[in-house]
């Protein structure tokens, strides 16, 4: 009987703890993102790539690719700066659970990765894709977009959970987490899987 009374109280306590942690993490990430136009640049590039790929006139398409180059370079600089700035966050606030759903932190269940290292890895991946010279504009755009979306997935994972991040990616971009990991550059994929596996 006592167990039946304590179970709802324990569930409410866990729900409150989860909500508080998520609010803290959202506030931390928002504080560091607020100094940059990363989200705006991601949106600009996503729309620009669609426009360039849909352009029937090759000269017009080339012009759009040229305009997007500047935004790509700005994005590269900004994600590097974000990773540098985020490196100063207290280590206890940067651990991300590898479990698909939120669980309270416990040394016994501490399967986690460091968000600071994840952001450094994403910055390297995005910049590698931006600096790629030998690929066609379409292949570069595909790689940059995949790198950007994987970083977004990691940010949602940090703030909420892996399952929520994957559901958002599927709903927003009709792309599963597995497809996204398969679409990034091979070196990023290797570093990412080494970090989160």
């Amino acid at each position: 009987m006592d167990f039946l009374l304590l179970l709802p109280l324990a569930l409410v306590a866990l729900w409150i703890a989860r909500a508080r942690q998520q609010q803290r993490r959202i506030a931390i990430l928002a504080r560091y993102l607020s100094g940059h136009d990363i989200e705006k640049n991601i949106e600009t590039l996503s729309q620009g790539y669609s426009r360039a790929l849909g352009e029937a006139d090759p000269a017009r398409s080339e012009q759009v690719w040229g305009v997007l180059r500047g935004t790509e370079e700005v994005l590269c600089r900004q994600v590097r700066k974000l990773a540098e700035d985020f490196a100063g966050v207290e280590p206890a606030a940067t651990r991300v659970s590898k479990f698909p759903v939120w669980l309270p932190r416990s040394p016994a269940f501490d399967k986690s990765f460091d968000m600071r290292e994840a952001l450094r890895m994403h910055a390297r991946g995005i910049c590698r894709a931006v600096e790629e010279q030998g690929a066609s504009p379409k292949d570069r755009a595909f790689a940059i977009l995949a790198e950007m979306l994987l970083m977004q997935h990691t940010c949602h994972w940090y703030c909420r959970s892996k399952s929520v991040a994957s559901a958002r990616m599927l709903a927003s971009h009709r792309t599963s987490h597995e497809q996204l990991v398969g679409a990034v550059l091979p070196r990023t994929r290797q570093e990412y899987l080494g970090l989160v596996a």
Side-chain angles (χ1 to χ4, degrees):
M1 184 67 160
D2 290 339
F3 174 75
L4 293 177
L5 291 174
L6 291 176
L7 184 61
L9 291 175
L11 292 175
V12 168
L14 282 174
W15 184 82
I16 291 170
R18 184 191 71 173
R20 285 185 178 160
Q21 182 191 36
Q22 289 176 351
Q23 288 171 347
R24 275 193 308 273
R25 287 176 175 238
I26 290 168
I28 290 168
L29 193 56
R31 183 172 63 237
Y32 286 93
L33 283 170
S34 68
H36 308 285
D37 290 326
I38 292 172
E39 292 175 271
K40 179 182 156 200
N41 288 326
I42 288 173
E43 185 67 27
T44 299
L45 290 173
S46 298
Q47 292 173 355
Y49 292 152
S50 295
R51 186 171 162 213
L53 291 169
E55 192 63 57
D57 178 15
R60 182 78 180 121
S61 178
E62 188 61 39
Q63 183 181 15
V64 175
W65 289 119
V67 169
L68 293 174
R69 273 287 196 186
T71 306
E72 291 169 351
E73 290 166 6
V74 168
L75 178 66
C76 174
R77 285 193 303 271
Q78 289 187 342
V79 293
R80 277 185 176 147
K81 182 72 171 120
L82 172 65
E84 289 171 15
D85 294 346
F86 200 83
V89 175
E90 177 187 340
T94 64
R95 301 307 303 174
V96 182
S97 173
K98 292 182 182 181
F99 290 108
V101 295
W102 183 86
L103 291 174
R105 289 275 331 253
S106 165
F109 301 120
D110 195 19
K111 292 184 74 173
S112 61
F113 64 91
D114 193 327
M115 184 63 176
R116 295 170 301 175
E117 180 53 40
L119 286 176
R120 285 191 290 268
M121 183 263 317
H122 287 305
R124 288 190 301 269
I126 289 171
C127 292
R128 269 194 300 268
V130 165
E131 293 161 0
E132 179 66 43
Q133 298 298 320
S136 69
K138 180 180 177 180
D139 289 342
R140 276 185 75 257
F142 184 76
I144 294 167
L145 188 59
E147 297 282 349
M148 292 186 310
L149 292 179
L150 187 60
M151 185 179 82
Q152 279 187 331
H153 182 278
T154 303
C155 290
H156 289 308
W157 187 350
Y158 170 74
C159 292
R160 304 280 181 179
S161 69
K162 182 181 181 183
S163 59
V164 170
S166 297
R168 283 185 174 183
M169 191 58 56
L170 203 52
S172 300
H173 302 285
R174 295 187 303 264
T175 305
S176 71
H177 179 242
E178 292 75 21
Q179 288 173 311
L180 197 52
V181 173
V184 295
L185 296 173
R187 189 161 167 200
T188 302
R189 186 179 317 113
Q190 181 183 6
E191 290 179 15
Y192 179 80
L193 292 174
L195 185 67
V196 305

